[in-house]
Every structure is written in structure tokens, then in C-alpha cells.
Amino acid sequence: MKKFMWINGLVAVALVLIDQTFKNYISSNLPLGHVREIIPGLISITNLRNDGAAWSILEGNQSLFLIITLVALGALGYILFLKRDSWSFNVGIWLMIAGTIGNFIDRLRLHYVVDMFQLDFINFPIFNIADMCLTFGVIVLFIAIIRDDSE
């Protein structure tokens, strides 16, 4: 099982690198606020600076987000240690760690998070790859908790 933990960790590192590379590409090649349709009526790419959470909630509170992130990473590490023998828990936690670190790097380096994916068919927050990692991580963890029949 430790082999899978290392593989999940490497995948998490790769996801953080992909997230940061894509954010850098968007920031360098798409003017701030510009929208470019990818699939008409479905998804567009934009360059947005978000100094809050989803829907720009609590915008401008970078110190709060940095503290919350450090607490979240500590909690995720602790859960990972407790459930290190569960493949599904590992996948969910590592995805959440990757997403948390991806946005944490932005907050430390830029004092905002670069968001770029815009769903054109629904009023939904513009998001990035780190946000996708967090969302899928929560879904996987939720399924793992439902399926966990130990204790």
C-alpha cells in the first residue's frame, strides 16, 4: 500500500506543476478579463484574478486564507497518516493536497489566485485546475467515507 501512497504523492506533485504551468500560460498570453470561447455555449477560457474564495467571497483577506490553508494542509496530512492503508482515502486526500498547494502558491506569490475556466451555461464561479483537484478530491473522499466499513 505504501507504493500507492508514493504514486499518489507524485501525481499530486504533477498536478501542482500542471496547475502552475497553466496559470502562468494564461496570465502571460490572455489579457486580464478577456474571454475566449473554447466550446461555444459550454466553456470559455478567461484570465481572472481572484483574491477571495468561490464567488469572490471574503475577497482581500489573504492572511485569513493563508492561515486556513496551513490548517487545512495539517489536517489533510493527519488524515492521510491515519488512513494510509486505504487507497481511495489516499487518492482523495492527495487530490485535495494538490489543489490546496496549487492555490496556496498563488496566494503566496501573487496575493491572488489565477482562475480561468468559465462555464457558459450556468452561473458558476470561474475556476482553475487546483479547484478541480479540490472538488474531485472531496468527491473521492466522500465516496471513500460512504464505502468505508471499518470502525
Side-chain angles (χ1 to χ4, degrees):
M1 193 56 70
K2 287 184 181 184
K3 174 183 167 185
F4 290 115
M5 190 163 161
W6 285 106
I7 292 170
N8 291 338
L10 290 174
V11 169
V13 169
L15 288 169
V16 170
L17 291 174
I18 291 167
D19 172 68
Q20 290 297 301
T21 301
F22 201 78
K23 287 174 178 175
N24 186 47
Y25 177 81
I26 291 296
S27 295
S28 300
N29 294 292
L30 194 63
L32 188 62
H34 184 78
V35 178
R36 187 174 295 154
E37 275 190 331
I38 301 299
I39 302 173
L42 190 61
I43 191 165
S44 296
I45 297 287
T46 187
N47 181 0
L48 177 76
R49 294 176 178 173
N50 184 359
D51 67 347
W55 284 288
S56 296
I57 297 169
L58 298 171
E59 58 186 326
N61 288 300
Q62 292 308 306
S63 297
L64 175 65
F65 289 120
L66 294 174
I67 292 167
I68 290 171
T69 299
L70 292 172
V71 171
L73 285 171
L76 290 169
Y78 181 70
I79 294 168
L80 188 62
F81 175 76
L82 289 178
K83 290 299 224 175
R84 62 182 171 263
D85 293 333
S86 172
W87 181 83
S88 55
F89 269 84
N90 261 287
V91 169
I93 295 295
W94 277 113
L95 282 169
M96 292 171 67
I97 289 171
T100 302
I101 291 173
N103 283 338
F104 186 63
I105 291 169
D106 281 12
R107 292 189 192 283
L108 282 176
R109 195 170 62 88
L110 306 169
H111 304 290
Y112 57 84
V113 173
V114 177
D115 288 329
M116 74 280 301
F117 297 109
Q118 177 177 309
L119 300 179
D120 297 330
F121 61 93
I122 189 171
N123 181 18
F124 193 78
I126 297 170
F127 56 97
N128 58 44
I129 293 169
D131 297 334
M132 288 190 278
C133 290
L134 284 163
T135 301
F136 290 124
V138 168
I139 291 168
V140 170
L141 190 60
F142 181 72
I143 292 168
I145 290 169
I146 289 174
R147 296 187 72 210
D148 187 22
D149 53 6
S150 66
E151 300 182 54

